[in-house]
Amino acid sequence: MLKVGDVLKNIEAIDYSSEGLGVAKFEHYTLFISSLLKGEVGDVEILYFKGKDIAFAKTKKIHKFSPHRITPLCPIHSACGGCSFQTVTYEEELNIKRDKVKKDLLKIAHIDFEVKDVVGMKNYHHYRNKIEIPIKEDKRKKCLIYGLYRKNSHDIISFSHCLLAKECLEVALAKVVDILNNYRVKAYDEQRHDGFIRHLVLRANERDEMMLTIVTKDDNIPQLDKIVKDIVSNVPNIKSIVLNIQDKKSNVILGEKERLLFGDKYLSVQLLNNKYEVSSKSFLQVNYLMCEKLYTRAIELANLSKDDVVLDAYSGIGTIGLSVANKVKHVYGVEIVKDAIEDANMNVKINNIGNASYVCGDAREYMLNYRDIKFDVVFVDPPRKGLSSSFIDSLLKRKPKKIIYISCNPSTLARDLAILKDKYNIEAIEPFDMFPRTYHVETIVGLILKK
Ligand code: SAH
């Protein structure tokens, strides 16, 4: 029986897990090992178990190195865990991601269909347009510190440069924390459930203009007016400051209540042919360049015509549907977050679109409530948990001639395709690297109704 702390010698990684860990077999155990690439042999230390047969381990020493191994550029990459592929060439990362999509489709859905090479980025760093940074108190220095969570914990590891974030965001972050420290603002204390600052959220548009959301436990931060003035005069390009109150004991970053402290309630973002206003609680793809590439390909695959009625399901602020409105008869959209739908309807107006209607609600209920609309083409872009089975049932009953499935999780994509494939033929499976250096991969699947 293995125990925590045991060191196993000469373990060979034979594959990658869906989170980019090395996978190895030892007796009846499956080991998931950090920092061991496929084909590498090393000594590994057992960290913890999941059930009787699965153990997580870290690499102590490598005896045989992979030709794809490179030296990581970030000093905290192994502690932070945000980047799973810092030690692998980018080319190999794209291969691993393609294999993952292929494997999930085969294993979960028995789909053996050509998965295209992953569309990657030329410059694959500093693409993230949004950062959500936890703030804590350094008890010794009596000041606020910021950082990234250590893997599987709530400890903070300080960083000054993150390879994924747009550079303007980390410059702004450092300045905002300095200013908060000048005013001796207290951080939120998880244990005592008191204090103020919990997170700082920064989102930038493609011109590096930014929205800052200060997430606080209580609304009454001392000298808040002065703090806001200082931020505005010292942090260039801050166009909006929002105070978000999260007074619950919760891991959810944003609370319900918000108050505008400075500037516009929205950040303006240009994507393809439209301008979008996005408010702090709305979802927006984190990588503009890849988002435009992905949308462009999804729209091509949809092969739209002037008579088509389109559904943009899981629409966020309407970016997919509104990009195609000028090509079709009507666009309907549904999204569960109220603020995102308010943004979507404003985006309909500011882009002078006369043929789009977005409503707030659960995608599944929407299908039941709007039974009379005949959709020709449906775009679905669900969160990681994929489509609900009743939403899929409704799709199968209503039989749109095309479904374009945009997925951020190959396993739930495979699960859903296993059902959809009875009535739909697969036309294309094309992964896009929306999140370079992390284990996440986005995939577009084009589906055509069988005759
Ligand atoms: N298509 C958009 C958003 C994709 S993210 C874009 O490209 O930007 C997925 C979206 O689904 C999120 O905005 C989330 O709020 C929404 N969502 C999650 N569960 C939902 C549900 N049950 N019904 C409708 N929308 C949902």
Side-chain angles (χ1 to χ4, degrees):
M1 275 270 281
L2 283 179
K3 313 184 292 305
V4 169
D6 281 354
V7 174
L8 308 175
K9 301 266 184 200
N10 292 312
I11 296 294
E12 178 174 0
I14 49 171
D15 204 351
Y16 291 104
S17 74
S18 49
E19 267 124 61
L21 300 170
V23 179
K25 290 280 180 195
F26 178 79
E27 296 173 353
H28 66 282
Y29 293 97
T30 302
L31 308 177
F32 292 107
I33 308 159
S34 60
S35 305
L36 199 64
L37 308 187
K38 186 175 166 183
E40 290 188 331
V41 176
D43 301 341
V44 308
E45 180 183 333
I46 302 296
L47 297 177
Y48 60 96
F49 293 90
K50 202 169 162 189
K52 278 192 232 134
D53 304 322
I54 292 176
F56 287 79
K58 67 174 180 190
T59 305
K60 301 280 284 180
K61 189 168 186 195
I62 300 175
H63 301 299
K64 183 182 157 207
F65 287 89
S66 161
H68 306 293
R69 181 173 279 278
I70 54 171
T71 309
L73 295 171
C74 174
I76 61 162
H77 91 279
S78 60
C80 152
C83 295
S84 307
F85 292 122
Q86 281 262 327
T87 53
V88 183
T89 60
Y90 187 52
E91 204 184 9
E92 181 64 0
E93 173 185 339
L94 296 182
N95 290 333
I96 296 169
K97 288 179 172 175
R98 176 174 175 272
D99 285 353
K100 153 122 192 85
V101 175
K102 229 180 142 42
K103 221 166 31 186
D104 280 353
L105 290 173
L106 199 59
K107 219 163 88 183
I108 302 170
H110 307 293
I111 292 172
D112 188 7
F113 190 92
E114 186 202 357
V115 176
K116 287 266 167 64
D117 284 345
V118 181
V119 177
M121 297 188 81
K122 226 190 235 137
N123 300 315
Y124 46 82
H125 289 138
H126 303 298
Y127 58 84
R128 267 198 83 92
N129 59 30
K130 183 180 176 191
I131 53 175
E132 297 167 308
I133 303 295
I135 304 292
K136 291 229 159 127
E137 193 112 352
D138 183 326
K139 294 261 154 49
R140 213 163 37 87
K141 293 191 198 144
K142 295 210 173 348
C143 67
L144 302 182
I145 49 164
Y146 64 91
L148 296 162
Y149 283 129
R150 186 179 294 283
K151 238 186 274 178
N152 309 323
S153 92
H154 263 201
D155 297 346
I156 281 185
I157 325 163
S158 296
F159 74 98
S160 45
H161 299 298
C162 167
L163 287 168
L164 305 192
K166 265 167 146 304
E167 279 151 326
C168 63
L169 296 174
E170 57 188 34
V171 173
L173 172 69
K175 285 193 178 158
V176 171
V177 174
D178 265 359
I179 292 167
L180 291 169
N181 273 329
N182 290 343
Y183 288 88
R184 303 197 178 284
V185 182
K186 291 264 177 232
Y188 169 65
D189 183 317
E190 238 171 1
Q191 254 88 47
R192 302 209 315 256
H193 192 53
D194 67 5
F196 295 101
I197 313 294
R198 300 178 70 138
H199 278 87
L200 293 175
V201 180
L202 279 150
R203 181 184 265 164
N205 65 14
E206 71 291 347
R207 284 158 287 152
D208 289 356
E209 293 170 341
M210 285 171 275
M211 168 184 274
L212 165 68
T213 305
I214 302 173
V215 186
T216 174
K217 146 87 171 45
D218 282 320
D219 192 348
N220 53 337
I221 299 173
Q223 309 192 75
L224 188 58
D225 290 352
K226 285 190 187 158
I227 293 172
V228 169
K229 267 198 194 128
D230 264 15
I231 294 176
V232 174
S233 25
N234 290 294
V235 190
N237 277 335
I238 291 273
K239 298 290 175 196
S240 162
I241 304 180
V242 174
L243 191 74
N244 177 289
I245 296 109
Q246 172 53 296
D247 52 10
K248 299 206 172 77
K249 286 187 177 173
S250 159
N251 283 340
V252 178
I253 295 179
L254 295 179
E256 282 290 314
K257 267 194 279 171
E258 282 195 346
R259 185 152 74 81
L260 184 66
L261 299 177
F262 165 77
D264 201 345
K265 190 180 157 205
Y266 306 96
L267 187 70
S268 285
V269 171
Q270 178 78 33
L271 274 175
L272 297 179
N273 45 347
N274 289 325
K275 185 180 140 188
Y276 297 92
E277 300 285 355
V278 48
S279 57
S280 60
K281 286 193 216 155
S282 297
F283 175 89
L284 186 69
Q285 301 288 353
V286 297
N287 182 336
Y288 292 127
L289 209 90
M290 290 311 287
C291 172
E292 288 194 329
K293 281 196 183 172
L294 176 107
Y295 285 2
T296 304
R297 185 62 188 134
I299 295 165
E300 255 169 39
L301 280 171
N303 196 15
L304 297 162
S305 68
K306 274 283 169 207
D307 296 328
D308 283 338
V309 173
V310 169
L311 174 63
D312 177 5
Y314 305 85
S315 70
I317 61 167
T319 40
I320 296 177
L322 300 186
S323 298
V324 302
N326 61 356
K327 297 183 197 312
V328 301
K329 189 163 162 197
H330 200 91
V331 173
Y332 292 91
V334 58
E335 155 65 46
I336 207 160
V337 172
K338 193 169 126 266
D339 290 36
I341 276 300
E342 283 170 16
D343 295 1
N345 281 316
M346 185 167 57
N347 292 325
V348 170
K349 282 200 199 114
I350 59 173
N351 290 292
N352 297 317
I353 293 171
N355 61 340
S357 7
Y358 279 78
V359 297
C360 182
D362 175 84
R364 176 181 63 93
E365 282 164 22
Y366 180 90
M367 294 299 257
L368 302 175
N369 294 340
Y370 291 80
R371 282 174 209 267
D372 301 340
I373 309 171
K374 184 170 171 2
F375 300 118
D376 299 295
V377 178
V378 174
F379 290 91
V380 292
D381 186 7
R384 289 184 60 73
K385 64 176 190 265
L387 303 174
S388 65
S389 54
S390 53
F391 180 85
I392 298 180
D393 284 349
S394 304
L395 273 182
L396 291 174
K397 281 199 194 106
R398 295 168 79 140
K399 302 192 184 73
K401 63 181 192 224
K402 277 219 162 189
I403 300 171
I404 306 296
Y405 192 141
I406 300 173
S407 155
C408 55
N409 183 349
S411 355
T412 54
L413 170 70
R415 180 202 65 200
D416 296 345
L417 289 181
I419 311 173
L420 288 167
K421 75 175 181 182
D422 282 347
K423 290 206 177 139
Y424 284 84
N425 285 321
I426 294 174
E427 188 191 7
I429 304 177
E430 303 186 11
F432 282 72
D433 197 21
M434 191 79 101
F435 316 99
R437 301 334 245 156
T438 77
Y439 63 80
H440 298 283
V441 59
E442 196 90 1
T443 310
I444 308 178
V445 178
L447 296 162
I448 301 181
L449 187 66
K450 287 184 184 169
K451 292 258 156 55

